[in-house]
């Protein structure tokens, strides 16, 4: 806040203190509040307990026309949760999930904040709320050891959508483990009512294993320092807003999304494919911009976007830095139901290939991952997982039915070339292929890019699927075989790993 506004408040506080000391009459004469307040200060009344919400839910509007005393209780928990199918990560959370619970108060409220650190925690934590005016945003008052709780009180002087986060050293690591959330301070003049409000917060994560490498994945400090994210996701995990967990709305409804970015490193280019934001309260502040395609949300920053859904269908929510969306997890979905609006949009439904394997929450992938971990992986489970992965990875070129496209992409269905040499096919997916090949009597002279960014088990599952579909029949390819192949061949220039 501008200095010029802080001073008068400090002045008022000082006067109040003096008045208290001299007359003891402060109770009957509540201090006139701050120059920022356009309404007269009403008595706060009995304290209210804040209702918090877990993403993608947002707590209901306060509905109040006067400030109140609001009590917020937030519990820090260190929990193991999936960050992707079959990949576990130890998140440090405000309330058990990433992002932290959504807090909603009103401008002028006095917030009594309680931070609890669960006894099972291994680390001390604190909280810095960007909505707080005061040193550390609360961090200096809330250093909380495991099994302890702390308390401080602040006045929500400024309306807006604010990030809160942990500020315990190493701060970057606490934030990288998921310690962030949003607090919305409603303006005195509330925003117009909408049909649905959602909470989406982006974050980047750094694991020792590569993207989708199965099992428990520890935090990688060096990757975090280099800002080389393994995952970039909405609401704490890949797939948190996809398939069964997609957001829902009806044609004609007005949607408001409270967007946050916990970072710690990457600035989000928040975009909803096929929509234009009617209004964007840039950086979560009071002014709005209209007719916006993509809004920038920096780490430790926010944005409030509003739009009306005119046409039914599935809208894909992305960070428009697209490799993050398609190769690191930053994809969500908004499913809109209702009558067609051919005048606005006539056309095909969303292309499932484009959505790739993210279109469904994938039990097949989970089952295969669990099987691999427990040593019980069957060929059938590999085929099921491989089918899903094939749709996301290979089918754009080789086609969903494996028949390829003449003169462009060779067939995998009944491919004599594929089935003649298992090892060669493993080498092709890992390292790509270029030059003349003859498949089923047809000649191809093109380039297939290396697929080495995929994990060994994903590649093994895909090949097992391909080698046992569309009339092909062969043995399974194991993740071990793929690993040996990877270790035994130099990566060509441009390949991922
Ligand atoms: Cu922390």
């Amino acid at each position: 806040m501008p200095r010029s506004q802080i001073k008068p408040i400090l002045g008022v506080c000082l006067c109040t203190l003096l008045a208290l000391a001299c007359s003891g009459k402060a109770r009957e004469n509540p201090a006139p509040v701050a120059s920022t307040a356009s309404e007269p200060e009403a008595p706060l009344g009995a304290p209210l307990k804040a209702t918090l919400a877990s993403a993608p839910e947002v707590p209901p509007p306060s509905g109040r026309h006067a400030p109140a005393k609001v009590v917020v209780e937030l519990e820090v928990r260190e929990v193991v949760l999936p960050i992707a199918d079959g990949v576990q990560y130890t998140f440090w959370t405000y309330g058990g999930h990433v992002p932290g619970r959504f807090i909603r108060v009103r401008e002028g409220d006095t917030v009594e904040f309680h931070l609890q650190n669960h006894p099972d925690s291994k680390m001390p934590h604190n909280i810095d709320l960007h909505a707080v005016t005061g040193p550390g945003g609360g961090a200096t008052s809330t250093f909380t050891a495991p099994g302890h709780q702390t308390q401080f009180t602040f006045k929500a002087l400024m309306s807006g959508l604010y990030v809160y986060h942990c500020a315990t050293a190493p701060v970057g690591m606490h934030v990288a483990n998921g310690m962030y959330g949003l607090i919305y301070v409603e303006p005195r003049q509330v925003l117009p009512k909408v049909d649905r409000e959602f909470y989406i917060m982006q974050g980047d994560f750094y694991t020792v294993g590569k993207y989708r490498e199965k099992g428990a994945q520890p935090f990688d400090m060096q990757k975090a320092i280099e800002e080389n994210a393994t995952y970039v996701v909405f609401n704490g995990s890949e797939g948190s807003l996809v398939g069964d967990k997609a957001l829902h709305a009806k044609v004609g409804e007005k949607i408001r999304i409270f967007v946050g970015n916990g970072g710690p490193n990457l600035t989000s280019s928040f975009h909803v494919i096929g929509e234009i934001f009617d209004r964007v309260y840039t950086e979560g502040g009071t002014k709005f911009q209209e007719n916006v395609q993509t809004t920038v949300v920096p780490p430790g920053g926010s944005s409030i976007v509003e739009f009306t859904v005119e046409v039914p269908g599935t809208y894909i929510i992305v960070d428009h830095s697209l490799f993050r969306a398609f190769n690191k997890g930053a994809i969500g979905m908004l499913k809109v139901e209702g009558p067609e609006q051919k005048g606005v949009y006539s056309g095909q439904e969303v292309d499932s290939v484009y959505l790739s394997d993210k279109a469904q929450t994938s039990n097949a992938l989970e089952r295969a991952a669990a099987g691999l971990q427990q040593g019980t992986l069957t060929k059938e489970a590999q085929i099921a997982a491989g089918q899903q992965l094939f749709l996301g990875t290979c089918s754009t070129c080789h086609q969903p039915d494996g028949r390829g496209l003449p003169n462009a992409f060779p067939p995998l269905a009944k491919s004599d070339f594929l089935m003649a040499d298992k090892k060669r096919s493993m080498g092709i997916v890992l390292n790509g292929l270029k030059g003349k090949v003859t498949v089923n009597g047809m000649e191809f002279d093109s380039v297939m890019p290396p697929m080495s960014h995929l994990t060994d088990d994903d590649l093994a599952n895909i090949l097992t699927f391909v080698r046992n579909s569309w009339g092909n029949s062969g043995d399974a390819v194991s993740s071990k075989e793929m690993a040996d192949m990877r270790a035994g061949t130099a990566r060509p220039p441009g390949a991922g790993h």
Side-chain angles (χ1 to χ4, degrees):
M1 84 191 280
R3 294 266 156 233
S4 59
Q5 284 178 311
I6 296 175
K7 277 213 182 115
I9 295 167
L10 280 178
V12 169
C13 295
L14 263 179
C15 297
T16 318
L17 276 176
L18 285 175
L20 250 172
C22 301
S23 68
K25 271 191 173 176
R27 263 169 210 284
E28 293 144 52
N29 298 306
V33 162
S35 50
T36 47
S38 53
E39 69 189 13
E41 183 75 339
L44 295 177
L48 307 169
K49 193 163 189 283
T51 350
L52 310 186
S54 292
E57 307 290 322
V58 175
S62 77
R64 284 185 280 113
H65 302 287
K69 174 154 187 181
V70 181
V71 179
V72 174
E73 286 187 15
L74 197 56
E75 187 190 48
V76 174
R77 280 170 175 265
E78 299 169 4
V79 292
V80 177
L81 290 171
I83 189 167
D85 287 331
V87 188
Q88 288 81 39
Y89 189 77
T90 302
F91 294 95
W92 299 347
T93 73
Y94 290 106
H97 295 278
V98 178
R101 313 252 284 151
F102 195 109
I103 305 167
R104 187 166 193 156
V105 298
R106 183 183 176 277
E107 185 182 342
D109 281 355
T110 295
V111 182
E112 183 183 296
F113 202 96
H114 298 254
L115 188 70
Q116 298 147 349
N117 191 357
H118 195 275
D120 292 346
S121 294
K122 302 210 166 40
M123 298 285 156
H125 301 285
N126 65 12
I127 192 164
D128 168 352
L129 299 117
H130 293 178
V132 169
T133 309
T140 49
S141 316
T142 52
F143 182 84
T144 313
H148 286 251
Q149 57 175 322
T150 54
Q151 177 187 337
F152 80 109
T153 300
F154 70 95
K155 191 163 184 118
L157 295 175
M158 310 291 237
S159 69
L161 181 61
Y162 298 98
V163 167
Y164 65 80
H165 63 89
C166 188
T168 306
V171 180
M173 179 178 177
H174 282 250
V175 173
N177 283 338
M179 297 203 78
Y180 43 76
L182 290 179
I183 173 168
Y184 180 48
V185 182
E186 293 175 350
R188 285 163 207 267
Q189 202 63 49
V190 291
L191 299 188
K193 207 173 152 350
V194 293
D195 298 296
R196 291 175 201 261
E197 292 184 333
F198 297 113
Y199 171 19
I200 299 183
M201 196 157 187
Q202 183 170 320
D204 29 293
F205 290 88
Y206 304 82
T207 61
V208 170
K210 65 161 79 166
Y211 173 63
R212 287 188 175 178
E213 193 158 311
K214 305 297 183 288
Q217 287 298 333
F219 170 68
D220 189 321
M221 186 69 167
Q222 192 55 40
K223 274 192 187 169
I225 292 169
E226 287 161 9
E227 307 191 7
N228 174 22
T230 327
Y231 293 88
V232 182
V233 298
F234 298 126
N235 292 355
S237 69
E238 175 169 37
S240 67
L241 293 173
V242 160
D244 306 344
K245 298 185 206 146
L247 306 178
H248 287 269
K250 298 206 170 71
V251 164
E253 285 185 331
K254 182 147 192 147
I255 315 256
R256 174 178 296 139
I257 308 182
F258 294 99
V259 187
N261 187 359
N265 290 321
L266 304 179
T267 295
S268 175
S269 302
F270 187 80
H271 178 78
V272 178
I273 300 176
E275 262 306 336
I276 300 160
F277 303 135
D278 305 337
R279 284 186 180 183
V280 172
Y281 292 83
T282 329
E283 293 163 10
T286 52
K287 298 277 191 302
F288 62 81
Q289 169 70 287
E290 291 173 304
N291 301 357
V292 174
Q293 57 197 304
T294 299
T295 182
V296 179
V297 191
S302 71
S303 185
I304 304 171
V305 305
E306 295 177 355
F307 56 99
T308 307
V309 280
E310 284 88 0
V311 177
T314 301
Y315 294 81
I316 309 301
I317 302 165
V318 294
D319 177 339
H320 214 295
S321 291
L322 288 173
F323 276 97
R324 298 179 190 167
F326 294 109
N327 301 78
K328 297 189 173 191
I331 279 198
M333 290 166 57
L334 169 67
K335 291 188 178 173
V336 178
E337 282 162 34
E340 289 289 349
Q341 301 289 324
K342 296 284 189 200
V344 182
Y345 182 84
S346 92
Q348 204 181 24
E349 254 286 2
V350 180
D351 188 306
S352 63
V353 173
Y354 181 44
L355 289 181
S356 76
D357 54 283
K358 288 155 186 109
Q360 300 123 33
T361 39
S362 161
N363 289 328
L365 293 186
E366 257 165 55
R367 267 200 298 277
L372 185 65
Q373 267 170 293
Q374 291 152 16
T376 56
L377 184 60
T378 60
K379 190 172 164 188
E380 286 63 42
Q382 279 196 279
I383 291 173
Q387 175 168 30
Q388 193 116 38
L389 292 162
F390 177 87
L391 286 176
T393 323
C394 322
S395 69
T396 17
C397 297
H398 292 286
Q399 302 302 297
D401 60 7
R403 278 197 242 165
L405 287 176
N407 303 320
F409 306 114
L412 302 176
K414 298 200 180 103
S415 159
D416 53 2
F417 186 86
L418 163 72
M419 298 310 289
D421 190 339
K422 175 173 165 183
K423 274 223 155 134
R424 180 175 64 191
S425 69
M426 288 161 52
I428 290 172
V429 289
L430 202 53
N431 299 317
L433 184 67
K434 57 171 171 268
K436 272 205 182 97
V437 284
T438 306
V439 184
N440 298 347
M442 292 176 289
E443 213 169 76
F444 296 86
D445 187 1
S446 182
V447 180
M448 167 164 155
M451 297 282 147
S452 55
H453 57 283
L454 300 175
T455 60
D456 294 325
D457 49 317
D458 282 353
L459 286 174
N461 293 344
I462 292 174
L463 272 182
T464 304
F465 164 71
V466 166
R467 289 167 45 80
N468 289 281
S469 304
W470 317 299
N472 300 336
S473 149
D475 54 350
V477 176
S478 74
S479 142
K480 172 83 174 53
E481 284 176 289
M482 283 308 311
D484 291 347
M485 166 77 62
R486 194 189 292 264
T489 33
R491 295 282 74 74
H497 300 264

